Amino acid sequence: MKQRVLKVHPDDNVLVALTDLKKGEQIDYNGNSYTLHDDVAAKHKFLTEDLNPGDPIHMYGVLVGKAQEPLQKGNLISIGNVKHAASDFTTGERKTNWVKPDVSKFANRTFNGYHRNDGSVGTGNYWLVIPMVFCENRNLKVLQQALVEDLGYGRNVTYQNQAKQLIELYKAGKSVEDILQADISADYSKNNKQRLFENVTGVKFLTHDGGCGGTRDDSDALCALLAGYITHPNVAGATVMSLGCQHAQVDILQEEIKKRVPNFDKPLFILEQQKIGKESDFLSEAIKQTFAGLILANKNERKPAPLSKLVIGLECGGSDGFSGISANPAIGYTSDLLVALGGSVILSEFPELCGVEQNLSDRCVSVDIAERFSHLMHTYDSRAKAVGSGFDMNPSPGNIKDGLITDAIKSAGAAKKGGTSPVVDVLDYPEKVSKPGLNLLCTPGNDVESTTAEVASGATVVLFTTGLGTPTGNPITPVAKLASNTKLYNKMRDIIDINTGTIIEGEETIQQAGERILEYVIGIASGEIEVAAVRHGQDDFIPWKRGVSL
């Protein structure tokens, strides 16, 4: 019989329901018996002891809330009877001893990537077209229409056939009811058009709504973010389109590029519309230079590289009550494997580290790094509180519905993505990863803003866990989606790549799943596996405006 409940940490005073439990049921676990006073849906939690108002609730071994009213052993905890709470943290002592996982089966493994002159290795070979300001977005779309399809990078619009079928029904005089009941099929045929440049993974267009009209801090941060994409290992070169008068000036971008790669030598074409004059001349020059850049980019071919050259971004979105006990710990073990092999991982989403700060601070390899982490966390939280928000307001309605009723519960599970290795560096948005090991990056919890930032910092593959389902992707880095539960995996197979519900069902250990995921990453990095987000052209890109975004 499969296990029905789980205690995540020995110090916890809650049990997680792995399946729906009914009021009045008697639950036996590790020699103890609990009578349920409420229905407890799968993913939610019930108490293992009586509590008075203000008494602490622990999960993952940390404080995640406090009782708001007298509660009994066997009561469901909910937003109605529990209030968010998290322990404060100090710089503390260094606790960086780490038992590395056995990586013998991966020790001599390689992936086939694109080698850059700065020593980095990409998992793709993209050409970028980038606007310095939102005024150029329309011109980017013109270039996209001119280049993508004819170069062989177009993807079939699989639902266009459905619209054609509906048009024919309408012309035939069918009623609204007939049309709504019609059985229409999508066209899933592949685009078989041959790429002109076989070694160029794609041409991507990073439209955005920044560059002017906001604060100078935001435009400077945008330049740094764009520099991160231009210098990224997955990028062969870029065409930059500037209006000319915007806050985000080209010289700021160039300075940010030098900070990241002092000897930057990729093809980079910069065009300024106000200097060139006529729009037709501007666009013609952009098309010519981009085409010339693609010819150069096509000379680079995949070659073997050690796994130490991988940089994995760790992300979650649409989390549920199983995320922190299946998908997140699984990629946490993948993280530990890669770090033990000399690679780098990025853990971001600072609002979702609330409650586990002490553990992460203690794992920082130096006091300076721990103090920077503390400064960024406290500054971010105080900014949120100043406008009437705070980290405690991070869980979404979907999170709460699926058992993540406080930010600390959500955060303690989310932090599992980072594994157990020491923290080698703490980065502010959107600084570049420069050290192998576990890096913390200050970003919002917003899925796309955080993923966008992780890629700017150097992530060449992103592992994205979800319990509710999300299509999130990125223009230049493959984002692999991992389901925390088998029900989701089966329900949304078209956008989910990996199932970790096997852990909940007892079919696989966290360690076995972590190794399976690393094998999958090697396939992605070598261009042998196309993840769903790439297949669907899910090119999400949102710069973080440094106000309050949780």
Side-chain angles (χ1 to χ4, degrees):
M1 182 177 177
K2 292 182 179 178
Q3 192 170 242
R4 304 183 71 205
V5 296
L6 174 70
K7 193 173 190 177
V8 177
H9 189 278
D11 295 337
D12 294 353
N13 57 357
V14 295
L15 288 174
V16 183
L18 301 181
T19 188
D20 291 345
L21 306 174
K22 294 298 182 182
K23 179 179 178 179
E25 278 195 67
Q26 182 174 302
I27 303 298
D28 296 319
Y29 183 79
N30 281 2
N32 295 305
S33 183
Y34 309 95
T35 300
L36 298 181
H37 298 292
D38 309 282
D39 290 340
V40 182
K43 309 177 188 179
H44 286 259
K45 296 89 186 167
F46 64 88
L47 291 167
T48 60
E49 63 183 13
D50 296 339
L51 297 180
N52 293 314
D55 283 351
I57 296 171
H58 290 93
M59 188 174 172
Y60 298 100
V62 300
L63 177 67
V64 296
K66 291 185 177 181
Q68 295 196 79
E69 60 189 54
L71 296 172
Q72 293 179 282
K73 179 172 68 173
N75 270 143
L76 169 75
I77 62 169
S78 68
I79 58 173
N81 59 27
V82 172
K83 179 172 70 171
H84 166 85
S87 299
D88 199 5
F89 66 102
T90 61
T91 301
E93 300 178 4
R94 301 302 90 222
K95 298 178 181 177
T96 57
N97 290 333
W98 179 45
V99 179
K100 294 183 180 181
D102 179 8
V103 294
S104 55
K105 68 172 63 176
F106 296 100
N108 298 313
R109 296 288 298 279
T110 61
F111 72 98
N112 287 322
Y114 294 95
H115 294 246
R116 307 300 177 190
N117 290 339
D118 63 358
S120 63
V121 181
T123 62
N125 193 38
Y126 288 94
W127 187 272
L128 290 183
V129 183
I130 295 177
M132 293 302 299
V133 62
F134 55 82
C135 307
E136 292 298 327
N137 283 345
R138 179 261 177 189
N139 288 331
L140 256 74
K141 290 178 181 177
V142 172
L143 258 67
Q144 190 170 11
Q145 292 170 352
L147 293 169
V148 171
E149 191 66 36
D150 288 339
L151 292 178
Y153 297 108
R155 299 246 174 196
N156 281 348
V157 182
T158 58
Y159 298 100
Q160 188 173 12
N161 187 49
Q162 293 187 352
K164 290 179 179 178
Q165 292 174 60
L166 294 175
I167 290 169
E168 292 304 315
L169 290 172
Y170 176 74
K171 287 181 177 178
K174 298 296 183 181
S175 68
V176 170
E177 290 75 17
D178 292 334
I179 288 173
L180 290 174
Q181 295 298 320
D183 182 14
I184 56 176
S185 58
D187 177 11
Y188 288 102
S189 61
K190 293 183 178 180
N191 185 346
N192 295 316
K193 192 165 187 175
Q194 184 73 23
R195 289 182 183 176
L196 181 61
F197 302 110
E198 281 297 317
N199 296 320
V200 178
T201 316
V203 185
K204 296 297 181 177
F205 302 80
L206 305 187
T207 56
H208 57 80
D209 64 356
C212 205
T215 68
R216 293 301 175 97
D217 284 346
D218 281 343
S219 60
D220 288 350
L222 174 65
C223 289
L225 183 82
L226 297 178
Y229 275 72
I230 291 170
T231 59
H232 195 280
N234 290 358
V235 171
T239 303
V240 176
M241 302 180 75
S242 170
L243 180 60
C245 58
Q246 70 277 346
H247 285 168
Q249 285 290 299
V250 168
D251 61 342
I252 302 173
L253 173 69
Q254 291 172 321
E255 186 61 34
E256 290 292 342
I257 289 173
K258 287 182 182 178
K259 284 182 186 178
R260 286 158 177 77
V261 182
N263 298 316
F264 179 78
D265 61 355
K266 292 179 183 177
L268 179 64
F269 305 127
I270 299 172
L271 299 98
E272 186 173 305
Q273 187 169 6
Q274 290 171 345
K275 281 185 179 178
I276 292 176
K278 288 196 300 182
E279 180 186 280
S280 57
D281 293 342
F282 178 65
L283 290 171
S284 294
E285 190 64 24
I287 291 171
K288 284 192 295 183
Q289 294 200 12
T290 299
F291 194 88
L294 291 168
I295 295 172
L296 298 174
N298 197 49
K299 295 178 180 179
N300 199 343
E301 298 181 6
R302 289 186 183 271
K303 296 176 183 176
L307 300 187
S308 59
K309 291 295 184 179
L310 288 173
V311 183
I312 294 181
L314 309 167
E315 191 66 36
C316 59
S319 299
D320 73 341
F322 286 160
S323 293
I325 57 179
S326 61
N328 291 347
I331 68 170
Y333 191 72
T334 305
S335 300
D336 284 347
L337 290 170
L338 187 63
V339 170
L341 290 162
S344 302
V345 296
I346 306 171
L347 179 64
S348 58
E349 301 175 291
F350 271 28
E352 298 186 6
L353 302 180
C354 177
V356 293
E357 298 100 330
Q358 191 65 62
N359 172 270
L360 290 168
S361 177
D362 292 346
R363 286 162 56 190
C364 291
V365 295
S366 72
V367 171
D368 287 347
I369 291 172
E371 288 179 344
R372 191 176 200 215
F373 175 60
S374 175
H375 170 72
L376 290 172
M377 285 293 290
H378 282 122
T379 300
Y380 193 167
D381 191 32
S382 62
R383 284 181 178 176
K385 288 176 178 175
V387 293
S389 189
F391 287 172
D392 60 303
M393 299 182 73
N394 178 255
S396 69
N399 296 149
I400 293 167
K401 181 182 177 183
D402 265 48
L404 304 178
I405 63 171
T406 73
D407 184 62
I409 291 177
K410 181 179 180 182
S411 298
K416 292 291 182 182
K417 301 192 301 290
T420 59
S421 69
V423 175
V424 298
D425 209 356
V426 174
L427 308 171
D428 198 5
Y429 176 90
E431 292 173 341
K432 179 185 177 182
V433 168
S434 61
K435 299 176 182 178
L438 172 59
N439 294 260
L440 305 183
L441 172 65
C442 183
T443 75
N446 176 290
D447 305 351
V448 178
E449 287 176 330
S450 182
T451 303
T452 299
E454 286 188 343
V455 173
S457 292
T460 53
V461 174
V462 172
L463 295 177
F464 191 119
T465 67
T466 182
L468 304 176
T470 174
T472 303
N474 182 266
I476 64 167
T477 290
V479 179
K481 234 62 60 52
L482 299 95
S484 71
N485 60 90
T486 302
K487 182 179 179 181
L488 170 66
Y489 179 69
N490 291 332
K491 181 181 180 181
M492 304 182 79
R493 286 290 294 273
D494 59 336
I495 65 170
I496 304 293
D497 301 288
I498 301 170
N499 181 29
T500 63
T502 49
I503 296 169
I504 300 296
E505 292 150 9
E507 298 174 2
E508 193 175 31
T509 66
I510 287 169
Q511 291 74 22
Q512 288 169 334
E515 291 185 351
R516 174 167 61 90
I517 292 164
L518 183 54
E519 289 283 1
Y520 199 88
V521 167
I522 295 169
I524 295 170
S526 299
E528 297 165 1
I529 295 175
E530 184 178 64
V531 299
V534 172
R535 188 163 60 250
H536 293 303
Q538 191 79 31
D539 293 339
D540 300 311
F541 178 81
I542 303 180
W544 181 24
K545 293 183 179 178
R546 202 61 179 266
V548 178
S549 174
L550 294 176

